[in-house]
Amino acid sequence: MPCPMIVIAAFLIGAAIGWMRAAKAGGSRADKLQYAAAHALALTVLGVFLTILLSRMG
């Protein structure tokens, strides 16, 4: 059942994207953590919706 892995992967990818965006902008460690948390949360929500969609489709 690969559906829960979608949510975990979305969280990790979102955190990595957020961290890299803050680092590229020259942010401090707190900025990087905040960007990572915000991006991880956003992609996790999308991952949950994708998981629900896939489970309802069969």
Side-chain angles (χ1 to χ4, degrees):
M1 181 183 236
C3 287
M5 291 186 160
I6 293 172
V7 177
I8 296 168
F11 177 83
L12 294 174
I13 291 169
I17 290 171
W19 187 275
M20 288 187 297
R21 285 189 66 194
K24 187 176 181 181
S28 65
R29 182 176 295 253
D31 293 330
K32 292 174 187 174
L33 288 171
Q34 183 177 3
Y35 270 64
H39 282 75
L41 181 62
L43 283 182
T44 300
V45 169
L46 290 175
V48 168
F49 284 130
L50 180 62
T51 300
I52 291 170
L53 179 70
L54 290 175
S55 67
R56 289 190 180 259
M57 290 179 69

